[in-house]
Amino acid sequence: MNAILLKSTIGLVVMMVAFTGYGQKSSNTKSPNIIVILTDDMGNNDVGFNGCQDIPTPNIDRIADEGVKFPQGYVTFAVCGPSRAGLITGRYQSRFGFDRTPVFAPSDPEMGLPKTEQTMAEMLKTAGYRTMLSGKWHVGAHAEVHHPNKRGFDEFFGFLAGGHRYFPQDWTFQSEYDAEGNEEHGYRTKLQRNGQVIENETEYLTDAFSREAVNFVKDNKDQPFFLYLAYNAPHTPLQATEKYLDRFKHIADEKRRIYAAMVSAVDDGVGRLLDQLDALGIAENTMVFFLSDNGGPKNANASDNGILRGGKSTWYEGGIRVPFAMRWPAKIKPNQVYYAPVISLDIFSTVAANLGRPVKVKNKLDGIDLVPVVTRPEKTAPDRTLFWRMYDRDLYVARNGNGAFKVLTKPNGNELYNLDDDVSEKNNLLKSGKNREAYDALVKELEAWKKEMAKEPAFLGLAELKEYWEIQRQKKQNNK
Ligand code: CA
């Protein structure tokens, strides 16, 4: 365990980042602005900086080209909700039982981030930041305590559920709280601003999120701000406007064509945001992160995970390795590539360690500060191991942070891969009995990590709820 991790393991930590080293340029003496741009169900190969050929993403690529890209950028779960819970708390979500995706159900107050956790927005509020979420929340919709405005966001524009239709004429419901198990209901609720239903939205959803993000940056240019721009694109349903569809007439496959248009809308939004930072003269000292919440579900939205095996909902690389880049011109030189694994948990730790002002970090963090590791000339990987838990399938993964090996343990047989030689995970080394030492070491670490996690999930998932409803229905019938 390295020094950064040790530092972050002390319960309630007050991080004091020395101002020395910030005084070289006047623009560096101020605390950095923070922007996290998250896409939804985007394939690893669907950005230019990862080699995408058929969908130009010049604006998203600016983040990588003017900063650092992470070819091995991971998220903590292979579907939306738990991945977002890990990102926004900087902690493995299994520590607090967020092992399932929140769904529509009879009101379940446990179905959200528990108060024991601190969100990145709450952390940044302790440092005096202005905060906004524009987009999808998906880490609590059933109780007021889970609302973004109650979890550190001064401003919230968007929706609370797991997905959404893209055209305002489809938004017919007033509230997400009375959905009664119907996910489609959640996709059709009107957007809200700080709890107030919006009746007059006219823009394509992705454009609306971009507009609000740009306005927030403009309004808060004179003070440190945190913008969490969480697009639901390019998650299904596949819907785009002619403006974006017209760019992809050459793509024959209709699903891929609409998907490309949806990605292009995100790229336009990212461009508007980056241009705004330039126009305000604050780009230099604004940290911008870009990533997807999980890998692409090829069959659902025609996304492309390239040579990676599997996709969304699988624990092969295609499910958990995502497009991932960071830009912070004040500290990070352009055109950097950091080859060792990083994980979405590192964003919280990086932000907390680089504010240039005191901040209260409530819990033990699971990530590391990326700034020193990507700016070291030798770019050595920290000595750590990354872990995943899929409780409902009794599936666990451990991945060397500074080596090549990845272990999957599961009921139908364990697997070991050397990702340096075999990034497509075709050759299960356990079959040949090779690299047994690496396997044993990872399994041992995994067993220790499992003991730190919550015993079981904090709330029911869709499959468990269906079972629950069936039992309730039978009880009712028997009582008649
Ligand atoms: Ca997702």
Side-chain angles (χ1 to χ4, degrees):
M1 189 179 276
N2 64 21
I4 302 156
L5 279 171
L6 275 175
K7 197 169 103 185
S8 66
T9 56
I10 307 162
L12 181 71
V13 186
V14 178
M15 277 200 196
M16 281 290 299
V17 179
F19 281 83
T20 48
Y22 278 77
Q24 308 300 321
K25 280 164 132 181
S26 60
S27 63
N28 290 358
T29 55
K30 270 177 65 183
S31 292
N33 304 304
I34 314 294
I35 298 177
V36 176
I37 304 169
L38 189 67
T39 53
D40 198 346
D41 289 13
M42 190 183 211
N44 187 285
N45 204 42
D46 289 327
V47 289
F49 71 80
N50 277 358
C52 184
Q53 296 292 322
D54 60 344
I55 312 171
T57 56
N59 296 298
I60 296 169
D61 294 347
R62 276 183 64 192
I63 299 168
D65 295 345
E66 296 167 8
V68 53
K69 66 177 171 184
F70 302 102
Q72 297 197 72
Y74 290 99
V75 285
T76 59
F77 206 79
V79 302
C80 312
S83 172
R84 284 157 196 259
L87 169 71
I88 206 69
T89 61
R91 284 153 58 74
Y92 286 115
Q93 64 280 349
S94 293
R95 287 193 187 279
F96 46 95
F98 206 120
D99 291 280
R100 292 165 174 157
T101 281
V103 292
F104 284 96
S107 189
D108 178 356
E110 300 302 317
M111 200 178 271
L113 291 175
K115 285 301 267 186
T116 51
E117 299 307 307
Q118 182 187 45
T119 69
M120 205 185 310
E122 288 166 339
M123 181 264 288
L124 286 163
K125 289 302 292 175
T126 73
Y129 275 61
R130 283 284 298 174
T131 55
M132 181 188 201
L133 163 58
S134 179
K136 162 174 162 176
W137 181 230
H138 205 195
V139 288
H142 298 291
E144 283 297 330
V145 293
H146 299 312
H147 194 275
N149 290 135
K150 294 277 168 69
R151 297 314 311 253
F153 289 97
D154 297 315
E155 304 284 336
F156 167 54
F157 175 88
F159 64 90
L160 302 172
H164 216 272
R165 299 183 71 86
Y166 290 85
F167 294 117
Q169 62 265 32
D170 293 344
W171 309 338
T172 49
F173 297 109
Q174 294 288 317
S175 163
E176 287 156 316
Y177 292 100
D178 54 2
E180 290 182 359
N182 182 353
E183 191 168 29
E184 179 63 13
H185 181 127
Y187 278 52
R188 290 177 179 275
T189 52
K190 290 178 180 170
L191 299 187
Q192 58 162 285
R193 185 189 303 279
N194 302 328
Q196 298 296 309
V197 173
I198 297 168
E199 300 287 354
N200 59 352
E201 181 58 59
T202 56
E203 283 204 87
Y204 177 61
L205 186 57
T206 300
D207 293 342
F209 291 152
S210 302
R211 176 197 72 216
E212 295 295 323
V214 168
N215 287 343
F216 173 76
V217 165
K218 263 195 250 180
D219 291 346
N220 293 281
K221 64 181 193 310
D222 295 325
Q223 60 185 98
F225 61 78
F226 167 45
L227 168 66
Y228 177 31
L229 175 52
Y231 291 109
N232 62 309
H235 192 297
T236 55
L238 290 173
Q239 296 179 324
T241 58
E242 292 304 321
K243 174 184 168 186
Y244 301 115
L245 287 166
D246 282 350
R247 298 173 185 177
F248 299 99
K249 287 180 175 152
H250 58 283
I251 297 181
D253 180 75
E254 190 192 7
K255 265 168 110 175
R256 180 72 179 171
R257 185 163 67 244
I258 304 172
Y259 176 86
M262 293 167 79
V263 169
S264 203
V266 170
D267 190 69
D268 271 27
V270 171
R272 285 166 63 191
L273 186 59
L274 298 181
D275 288 349
Q276 189 63 59
L277 297 177
D278 288 338
L280 296 170
I282 57 175
E284 170 86 2
N285 201 26
T286 299
M287 261 189 229
V288 181
F289 296 90
F290 179 89
L291 74 165
S292 175
D293 68 340
N294 51 254
K298 189 180 173 65
N299 292 335
N301 69 356
S303 49
D304 177 14
N305 297 309
I307 58 170
L308 303 182
R309 179 175 175 182
K312 181 179 183 179
S313 309
T314 82
W315 267 254
Y316 295 110
E317 296 294 283
I320 53 178
R321 197 193 282 205
V322 296
F324 201 138
M326 173 190 181
R327 187 185 84 166
W328 187 17
K331 288 278 181 177
I332 296 171
K333 281 185 276 187
N335 290 307
Q336 303 291 304
V337 185
Y338 182 74
Y339 289 100
V342 301
I343 190 161
S344 52
L345 302 168
D346 296 335
I347 294 175
F348 194 120
S349 296
T350 301
V351 168
N354 289 281
L355 296 177
R357 58 170 72 186
V359 61
K360 283 183 183 158
V361 177
K362 184 176 176 182
N363 294 310
K364 172 191 171 181
L365 298 177
D366 286 317
I368 59 165
D369 177 5
L370 293 172
V371 174
V373 297
V374 303
T375 51
R376 273 201 292 263
E378 65 276 24
K379 291 192 172 53
T380 44
D383 180 15
R384 62 167 172 171
T385 303
L386 306 178
F387 304 99
W388 289 262
R389 164 166 113 169
M390 177 53 194
Y391 182 92
D392 288 325
R393 286 192 227 158
D394 196 16
L395 188 157
Y396 293 83
V397 177
R399 163 85 172 98
N400 283 144
N402 60 348
F405 292 102
K406 172 181 174 182
V407 161
L408 295 93
T409 71
K410 50 197 177 53
N412 64 347
N414 296 351
E415 296 172 24
L416 174 71
Y417 297 100
N418 179 332
L419 295 177
D420 280 357
D421 300 340
D422 177 26
V423 72
S424 301
E425 297 169 284
K426 288 178 178 163
N427 182 20
N428 176 7
L429 295 167
L430 291 183
K431 287 184 179 162
S432 59
K434 281 181 189 157
N435 304 106
R436 192 73 204 187
E437 273 175 33
Y439 172 79
D440 289 342
L442 276 175
V443 168
K444 193 177 163 194
E445 283 192 82
L446 179 58
E447 290 306 319
W449 178 81
K450 281 157 89 167
K451 291 195 179 82
E452 293 182 23
M453 301 300 113
K455 273 213 169 66
E456 54 187 24
F459 52 84
L460 300 176
L462 186 58
E464 297 72 29
L465 278 167
K466 280 182 176 161
E467 204 173 306
Y468 170 82
W469 288 326
E470 180 58 22
I471 291 167
Q472 297 305 311
R473 193 187 62 78
Q474 282 174 6
K475 267 188 191 165
K476 244 184 186 173
Q477 215 163 33
N478 294 343
N479 287 343
K480 272 180 189 166

